[in-house]
């Protein structure tokens, strides 16, 4: 018994037998059959069997799928338009059963329509990973999309998250058929084989513009020069951040003029801290207090520069260093030095969707003594604190939650310092967001961006005794270990929301859907929304997104800066088609007034782009500029750095 679309006239009994015998000589083809025989033409009858009935669902085009008479699954039905409504059922010995089966066939048809309508209603997928499961439907049971984790930093959290989605972990680092790859150390091969819009890859290729000391320093200096050229209207009220207001005075030792400038201005009343540009965990850091230590540093850097091997192969020399003015008056918690780890999340790069996330406070085990030579009293990271024999006994006291820090400052300093209530979650949080947004805008036009790239950057802030906030550094691949109770509460949520936001924003970008509201946004706060500000290319075409005002939504947002005036953009555009490129051998402006142009003459200084409306720093005229950051030889040094940064 077989079914085919109605023809112009009902088939007679003898015609059925003739056509049936022809169809019987053709090989049958069912669902899942791999036979290479061609599909029966429209109108052909399938041979009748006693065991079961075969139907052909064909409307207009030759059928490609056969299903059994059981209620078919939606995925096994190929639907298309036809001139003749309804299905027709024929039997070899006559068509008397045809009318009896019409109600059943009509019901099946309606069920298929309902399923399609439900699928269409679910098009803005509530399942964040739905996009990445497309194309994997033909995988055998028990096999799903693959994910790869390179290293141990946060591996258990990431693995549990992916496995909860039904993804399969692969240990093959060369596997290119993955949906997520999270590696501690970047590899060129990962970016060469990356499939834009189909995969998620942790760490932007050139995030060193933010996460190395020289990269961040160079980016902030160039951003300051660019902003000083923008002449704003006198009516401008917003105040832009100045580099010296949040970043300690810093000099590069790999540039001769800057190095000599530092050696000249040094005096023993100030302490300086020397850091390698790309190291982490406190490695290679030392303090400079005396002229003897400065002389030793000067002799060492000079000998390296004069070494003929260094001249021929500079990539073999020790990585470049910076010296930074040490903040000698930090705010203390029960006599101990501390800093605050927060997170900058770039969840999507096309368009940019950038978020701020709270972290935790990190304390030293020992009391603070500025004259002590023990680095564990100066550096708060866990790697340094673990060197103490008391660490296992007192490790819980080395990490405070942000709520704990807020309560302490409310109790100890609110009245004596005249602070607003909940200073940590108001003034301090707003300041961190301002600084993060400023740093992101400094490198936005130079970051390598593809749909599927995402990054989580650890930002370390210090508060001095005057409650001034300083950015110490930014770290790629921040520590995600959970070896104490506070970290067990904070880190898993940070990692899971990072992956949720990366999945959702990538899916929405790929399908040209509105980013907001974000269903997966919980504790992260939106800093920059490139959807409403940037002209970004859509996947699969050259269309651009019209700039529209940001729709209101209930998700967390920040209000840390005012939007850029249109006149500022026009003025900046008139500054020329190319920014000045500083000479590598010339000082590029530490924080001396002679190095950085003073923008105080500009009314109200320069307006920082709004973080939520996302008025961007103009990304024009950047194509001809060299990329910011450390020299080429530091790439290898970065690869040799420790397994995770900023612990």
């Amino acid at each position: 018994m077989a079914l085919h679309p109605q023809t112009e006239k009902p088939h007679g009994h003898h015609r059925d037998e003739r056509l049936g015998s022809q169809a019987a000589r053709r090989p049958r083809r069912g669902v899942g059959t791999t036979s290479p025989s061609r599909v029966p033409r429209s109108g052909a009858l399938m041979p009748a069997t006693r065991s079961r009935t075969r139907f052909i669902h064909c409307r207009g085009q030759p059928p490609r799928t056969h299903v059994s008479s059981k209620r078919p699954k939606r995925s096994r039905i190929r639907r298309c338009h036809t001139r003749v409504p309804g299905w027709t059922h024929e039997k070899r010995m006559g068509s008397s059963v045809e009318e009896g089966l019409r109600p059943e066939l009509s019901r099946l048809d309606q069920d298929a329509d309902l399923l399609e309508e439900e699928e269409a209603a679910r098009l803005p997928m509530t399942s964040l990973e739905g996009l990445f499961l497309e194309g994997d439907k033909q995988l055998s049971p028990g096999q799903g999309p693959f994910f790869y984790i390179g290293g141990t930093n946060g591996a258990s959290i990431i693995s549990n998250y992916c496995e909860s989605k039904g993804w399969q972990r692969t240990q093959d680092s060369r596997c290119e058929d993955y949906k997520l790859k999270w590696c501690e150390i970047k590899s060129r091969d990962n970016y060469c084989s990356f499939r834009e819009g189909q995969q998620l890859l942790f760490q932007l290729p050139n995030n060193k513009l933010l996460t190395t000391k020289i990269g961040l320093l160079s980016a902030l200096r160039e951003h300051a020069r660019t902003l000083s050229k923008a002449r704003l209207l006198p009516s401008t009220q917003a105040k832009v951040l100045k580099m010296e207001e949040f970043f300690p005075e810093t000099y590069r030792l790999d540039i001769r003029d800057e190095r000599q400038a530092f050696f000249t201005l040094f005096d023993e009343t100030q302490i300086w801290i020397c850091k390698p540009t790309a190291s982490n965990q406190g490695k290679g850091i030392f303090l400079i207090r005396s002229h003897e230590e400065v002389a030793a540093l000067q002799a060492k850097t000079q000998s390296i520069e004069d070494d003929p091997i260094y001249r021929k192969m500079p990539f073999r020399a020790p990585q470049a260093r910076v010296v930074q003015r040490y903040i000698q008056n930090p705010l203390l918690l029960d006599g101990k030095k501390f800093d605050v780890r927060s997170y900058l999340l770039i969840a999507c790069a096309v368009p940019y969707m950038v978020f701020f996330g709270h972290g935790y406070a990190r304390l030293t085990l020992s009391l603070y003594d500025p004259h002590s030579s023990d680095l564990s009293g100066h550096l708060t990271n866990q790697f340094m604190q673990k060197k103490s024999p008391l660490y296992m006994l007192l490790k819980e006291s080395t990490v405070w939650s942000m709520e704990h820090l807020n309560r302490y400052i409310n109790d100890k300093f609110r009245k004596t310092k005249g602070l607003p209530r909940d200073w940590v979650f108001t003034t301090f949080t707003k300041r961190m967001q301002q600084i993060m947004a400023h740093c992101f805008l400094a490198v936005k036009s130079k970051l390598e961006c593809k749909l599927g790239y995402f990054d989580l950057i650890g930002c370390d802030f210090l508060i001095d005794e005057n409650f001034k906030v300083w950015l110490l550094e930014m770290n790629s691949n921040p520590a995600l270990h959970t070896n104490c109770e506070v970290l067990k509460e904070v880190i898993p949520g940070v990692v899971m929301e990072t992956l949720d936001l990366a999945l959702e924003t990538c899916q929405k970008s790929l399908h040209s859907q509105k980013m907001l509201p974000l269903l997966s946004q919980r504790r992260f706060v939106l800093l920059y929304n490139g959807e409403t500000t940037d002209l970004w290319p859509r996947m699969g075409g050259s269309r651009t997104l019209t700039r529209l005002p940001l729709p209101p939504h209930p998700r967390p947002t920040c209000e840390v800066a005012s939007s850029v005036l249109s006149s500022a953009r026009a003025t900046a555009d008139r500054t020329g088609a190319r920014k000045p490129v500083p000479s590598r051998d010339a000082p590029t402006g530490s924080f001396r007034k002679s190095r950085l142009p003073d923008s105080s003459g500009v009314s109200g200084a320069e307006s920082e782009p709004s973080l939520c409306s996302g008025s961007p720093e103009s990304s024009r005229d950047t194509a001809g500029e060299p990329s910011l950051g450390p020299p080429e030889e530091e790439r290898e040094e970065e690869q040799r750095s420790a397994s995770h940064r900023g612990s």
Side-chain angles (χ1 to χ4, degrees):
M1 186 179 301
L3 181 69
H4 70 88
Q6 273 186 331
T7 57
E8 294 180 358
K9 295 181 180 181
H11 292 284
H13 174 71
H14 298 290
R15 180 174 175 80
D16 289 345
E17 289 183 348
R18 179 170 55 82
L19 291 177
S21 62
Q22 293 176 357
R25 290 194 295 270
R26 297 189 184 97
R28 288 184 297 171
R29 186 176 176 187
V31 173
T33 304
T34 60
S35 171
S37 59
R38 63 186 181 90
V39 179
R41 60 181 173 81
S42 178
L45 294 177
M46 297 298 292
T49 62
R50 295 183 179 180
S51 57
R52 64 180 186 177
T53 304
R54 305 289 293 187
F55 296 104
I56 302 174
H57 184 175
C58 175
R59 294 187 174 184
Q61 299 295 327
R64 299 189 60 179
T65 304
H66 295 192
V67 296
S68 67
S69 60
K70 298 179 181 179
R71 179 173 178 174
K73 294 183 179 179
R74 177 180 55 83
S75 61
R76 293 191 176 187
I77 298 178
R78 183 65 62 94
R79 296 178 53 79
C80 53
H81 296 289
T82 179
R83 296 173 301 168
V84 184
W87 288 13
T88 303
H89 185 277
E90 289 202 11
K91 188 178 179 183
R92 288 188 61 203
M93 298 304 295
S95 56
S96 58
V97 187
E98 176 180 342
E99 296 297 328
L101 288 179
R102 279 184 180 274
E104 178 66 17
L105 298 176
S106 177
R107 183 177 62 81
L108 292 175
D109 198 20
Q110 292 174 1
D111 289 346
D113 289 337
L114 288 175
L115 287 171
E116 286 188 351
E117 290 173 2
E118 292 174 2
E119 181 67 21
R122 291 196 303 266
L123 195 54
M125 292 169 140
T126 58
S127 175
L128 301 180
E129 70 277 12
L131 165 68
F132 298 92
L133 293 180
E134 292 179 4
D136 296 305
K137 297 177 181 178
Q138 296 181 0
L139 295 174
S140 60
Q143 186 181 26
F146 293 107
F147 67 94
Y148 175 80
I149 303 174
T152 59
N153 184 30
S156 61
I157 303 173
I158 302 165
S159 180
N160 290 339
Y161 175 92
C162 294
E163 289 173 355
S164 72
K165 307 288 184 186
W167 299 4
Q168 303 291 317
R169 183 170 182 176
T170 177
Q171 301 296 335
D172 182 7
S173 62
R174 298 182 180 181
C175 175
E176 297 183 1
D177 187 24
Y178 63 85
K179 295 303 177 186
L180 169 69
K181 180 171 279 191
W182 185 300
C183 296
E184 295 181 9
I185 299 177
K186 292 177 292 185
S187 167
R188 183 186 303 272
D189 293 341
N190 290 342
Y191 300 101
C192 291
S193 61
F194 176 73
R195 302 171 189 168
E196 185 173 9
Q198 301 178 32
Q199 298 174 323
L200 288 177
L201 183 57
F202 178 61
Q203 293 199 61
L204 273 64
N206 61 338
N207 60 4
K208 67 180 182 181
L209 297 180
L210 287 172
T211 61
T212 60
K213 281 75 172 178
I214 289 179
L216 180 60
L217 174 65
S218 301
L220 291 176
R221 286 176 176 177
E222 182 169 345
H223 192 49
R225 288 192 296 269
T226 302
L227 296 182
S228 67
K229 294 180 180 180
R231 301 295 178 182
L232 304 180
L233 294 176
S235 59
T236 302
Q237 299 296 324
K239 183 179 182 298
V240 71
L241 287 177
K242 294 183 180 179
M243 185 177 172
E244 59 269 26
E245 294 176 348
F246 67 89
F247 197 71
E249 184 177 358
T250 307
Y251 295 88
R252 292 177 59 170
L253 295 183
D254 61 326
I255 297 179
R256 180 179 300 175
D257 289 349
E258 284 199 49
R259 186 167 67 239
Q260 292 302 322
F262 165 69
F263 293 147
T264 301
L265 68 84
F266 175 81
D267 66 77
E268 294 186 351
T269 62
Q270 292 287 329
I271 300 177
W272 293 76
I273 185 169
C274 186
K275 307 175 182 179
T277 182
S279 288
N280 57 291
Q281 300 178 338
K283 297 177 181 178
I285 292 179
F286 57 87
L287 299 179
I288 303 174
R289 295 187 176 90
S290 66
H291 283 291
E292 290 77 11
E293 292 171 333
V294 169
L297 177 62
Q298 188 173 10
K300 183 176 181 179
T301 54
Q302 188 64 42
S303 65
I304 292 175
E305 190 173 84
D306 294 340
D307 189 340
I309 297 179
Y310 167 77
R311 290 178 180 275
K312 292 181 180 179
M313 295 176 290
F315 60 87
R316 292 196 174 185
Q319 63 171 303
R321 289 178 168 269
V322 300
V323 286
Q324 192 172 71
R325 190 180 294 275
Y326 186 72
I327 299 173
Q328 296 178 242
N329 61 333
L331 183 67
L332 303 179
L333 304 180
D334 295 331
K336 300 176 182 179
K337 185 179 178 180
F338 78 100
D339 66 9
V340 173
R341 162 60 57 87
S342 297
Y343 298 100
L344 176 69
L345 169 62
I346 303 176
C348 184
V350 183
Y352 279 119
M353 297 296 291
V354 183
F355 299 84
F356 162 85
H358 273 300
Y360 49 91
R362 308 181 300 183
L363 291 75
T364 61
L365 280 170
S366 58
L367 298 178
Y368 175 68
D369 178 7
H371 304 291
S372 172
S373 59
D374 183 6
L375 281 179
S376 65
H378 298 277
L379 306 180
T380 61
N381 62 71
Q382 292 285 297
F383 183 83
M384 295 298 299
Q385 302 310 311
K386 287 178 181 178
K387 296 180 179 181
S388 170
L390 297 177
Y391 176 76
M392 292 307 297
L393 182 64
L394 302 174
K395 68 177 182 179
E396 295 294 339
S397 66
T398 63
V399 181
W400 285 14
S401 67
M402 296 303 291
E403 290 77 12
H404 186 177
L405 177 63
N406 184 58
R407 290 194 302 269
Y408 183 93
I409 290 181
N410 275 344
D411 295 340
K412 298 288 184 179
F413 301 108
R414 182 188 171 199
K415 293 182 179 179
T416 59
K417 295 290 186 178
L419 301 177
R421 184 173 183 83
D422 297 329
W423 179 86
V424 168
F425 291 120
T426 54
T427 307
F428 177 53
T429 296
K430 180 179 179 179
R431 189 64 169 179
M432 288 192 293
Q433 292 171 347
Q434 285 177 326
I435 294 171
M436 284 188 189
H438 183 93
C439 293
F440 168 73
L441 291 174
V443 301
K444 178 178 76 73
S445 63
K446 292 180 172 61
L447 290 174
E448 296 179 26
C449 53
K450 288 185 179 181
L451 181 57
Y453 287 171
F454 71 104
D455 214 335
L456 182 68
I457 296 173
C459 305
D460 297 336
F461 294 92
L462 184 139
I463 307 168
D464 67 20
E465 61 185 9
N466 299 316
F467 286 84
K468 186 174 182 178
V469 179
W470 299 92
L471 172 65
L472 299 180
E473 60 185 19
M474 291 184 166
N475 300 277
S476 62
N477 189 35
L480 301 175
H481 51 70
T482 55
N483 60 341
C484 66
E485 292 304 317
V486 171
L487 296 178
K488 290 178 182 177
E489 295 176 1
V490 174
I491 299 299
V494 168
V495 174
M496 289 188 288
E497 189 168 352
T498 292
L499 292 170
D500 278 344
L501 286 170
L503 281 167
E504 183 176 1
T505 54
C506 184
Q507 173 209 329
K508 287 184 172 179
S509 177
L510 188 63
H511 288 276
S512 300
Q513 297 175 344
K514 280 189 176 182
M515 285 291 180
L516 301 179
L518 289 165
L519 301 176
S520 55
Q521 186 181 355
R522 298 180 289 274
R523 302 194 64 178
F524 275 92
V525 177
L526 182 63
L527 285 183
Y528 184 88
N529 181 1
E531 180 185 37
T532 61
T533 59
D534 300 336
L535 293 179
W536 52 283
R538 299 283 188 159
M539 290 294 295
S542 59
R543 294 177 295 123
T544 55
L545 182 66
T546 303
R547 299 188 181 192
L548 298 174
L550 185 66
H553 62 91
R555 297 295 176 180
T557 59
C558 65
E559 301 173 353
V560 301
S562 63
S563 59
V564 165
L565 297 176
S566 59
S567 59
R569 185 183 299 276
T571 304
D573 286 338
R574 291 195 298 269
T575 60
R578 185 180 177 87
K579 299 189 184 82
V581 179
S583 169
R584 178 178 174 83
D585 294 328
T588 51
S590 54
F591 289 92
R592 294 171 291 170
K593 293 183 180 179
S594 61
R595 299 303 180 193
L596 284 179
D598 185 10
S599 60
S600 59
V602 179
S603 119
E606 178 222 32
S607 176
E608 192 72 55
S610 171
L611 303 183
C612 295
S613 65
S615 301
E617 173 205 8
S618 178
S619 59
R620 70 205 180 285
D621 56 25
T622 56
E625 298 180 5
S627 62
L628 290 172
E632 195 72 22
E633 58 267 20
E634 292 169 15
R635 295 182 182 177
E636 293 193 1
E637 189 65 36
E638 185 176 352
Q639 296 296 326
R640 296 196 297 268
S641 64
S643 60
H644 62 274
R645 317 179 68 84
S647 61

